Amino acid sequence: MLAMILAAGRGERMRPLTDHTPKPLLPAGGKPLIVWHIERLVRAGITDLVINHAHLGQQIEDVLGDGSQFGAAIRYSPEITALETAGGIVQALPLLGDEVFAVINGDIWSDYDFARLPERARQLGSSDDLAHLVLVNNPEHHPSGDFPLRDGRLLPPHDSALSTQHSKFTFSGIGLYRSALFSGLTRGVAAPLAPLLRNAIAEGRVSGEHHTGYWLDVGTPQRLEALDQKLRKT
């Protein structure tokens, strides 16, 4: 299966670190954030990768090359300006093909086992669903969460059966998608992912799972430093 790593964001909250270095290349535990993803995907047997980029994107290509140094095959989807999550995926669809593919945010770190993704992709491909999301416990900076999860199905946030705050979990930035989810979008036009997911969830076409292990949105220099310290101790 194919996996896409999202690496086009400007990383405004990471400034000044991202003024001269793209966010996915910021180091933690002795290696760039994006390299952790690549190495763990390869260990899981997922070696065909697509990476989008915009801000200082050539640096990403220069460091990662064709992926052979990691045992991967990397292709790139450059964006003149960042197209947001859904727009970036649509831009890369010619590289991703028609099969179910994984998408991973380049600015997270998690011990989620990527070896689970191929089987999840097969299940998604044999269903009428459009997406499968990995959810995590709500972090301090996002206490209200994103979506309720019940019996492996995502429910609309306003669902009365799961109306309490504690019933919602946070989207981890790890997901599986069918290209049909993006059928209404135009290549080259910026578009967020959340509205597409909300529509698909309202139609009952999104499955999910709850990952209870380690996960971090590496969104600030302080979180990057915390991750660096954690990884250097392991």
Side-chain angles (χ1 to χ4, degrees):
M1 67 173 294
L2 287 164
M4 179 177 183
I5 302 175
L6 300 174
R10 175 65 175 81
E12 290 290 344
R13 291 179 299 165
M14 278 290 195
R15 297 186 68 184
L17 299 179
T18 52
D19 286 345
H20 304 288
T21 302
K23 189 175 179 180
L25 293 185
L26 294 176
K31 67 182 74 172
L33 290 170
I34 198 169
V35 171
W36 287 99
H37 284 335
I38 294 170
E39 291 180 345
R40 295 182 61 245
L41 285 166
V42 169
R43 285 199 298 271
I46 303 171
T47 59
D48 291 325
L49 309 179
V50 174
I51 298 173
N52 70 334
H53 62 69
H55 173 64
L56 302 176
Q58 188 58 48
Q59 288 188 35
I60 294 175
E61 294 199 29
D62 291 344
V63 170
L64 304 180
D66 64 2
S68 57
Q69 61 181 306
F70 309 106
I74 297 176
R75 291 175 293 169
Y76 296 96
S77 179
E79 302 169 15
I80 297 176
T81 58
L83 298 173
E84 301 188 56
T85 301
I89 294 172
V90 170
Q91 184 75 4
L93 281 179
L95 302 176
L96 295 169
D98 296 325
E99 300 298 321
V100 173
F101 53 87
V103 178
I104 301 161
N105 286 6
D107 57 358
I108 64 165
W109 200 99
S110 176
D111 58 9
Y112 177 82
D113 185 3
F114 290 147
R116 299 167 63 93
L117 293 177
E119 177 58 28
R120 294 285 188 269
R122 283 189 287 271
Q123 293 171 355
L124 177 57
S126 63
S127 74
D128 191 44
D129 288 344
L130 292 172
H132 176 87
L133 305 185
V134 178
L135 305 180
V136 295
N137 292 332
N138 300 328
E140 291 183 2
H141 62 273
H142 188 53
S144 60
D146 296 313
F147 305 110
L149 177 70
R150 183 174 61 188
D151 299 328
R153 309 298 302 174
L154 271 73
L155 302 177
H158 59 272
D159 189 281
S160 59
L162 290 172
S163 59
T164 67
Q165 233 181 44
H166 300 292
S167 298
K168 294 182 185 178
F169 298 102
T170 292
F171 176 40
S172 68
I174 302 170
L176 295 164
Y177 306 98
R178 302 173 77 119
S179 59
L181 178 66
F182 308 94
S183 60
L185 301 183
T186 302
R187 291 189 70 213
V189 177
L193 178 61
L196 302 181
L197 291 176
R198 286 194 292 267
N199 289 340
I201 291 170
E203 295 173 359
R205 301 181 69 184
V206 180
S207 61
E209 61 185 286
H210 179 206
H211 174 62
T212 58
Y214 185 80
W215 176 86
L216 182 69
D217 171 7
V218 192
T220 65
Q222 293 76 20
R223 289 182 217 154
L224 179 66
E225 176 62 24
L227 177 62
D228 180 65
Q229 293 180 11
K230 173 182 172 59
L231 294 175
R232 290 185 182 279
K233 290 177 182 178
T234 58

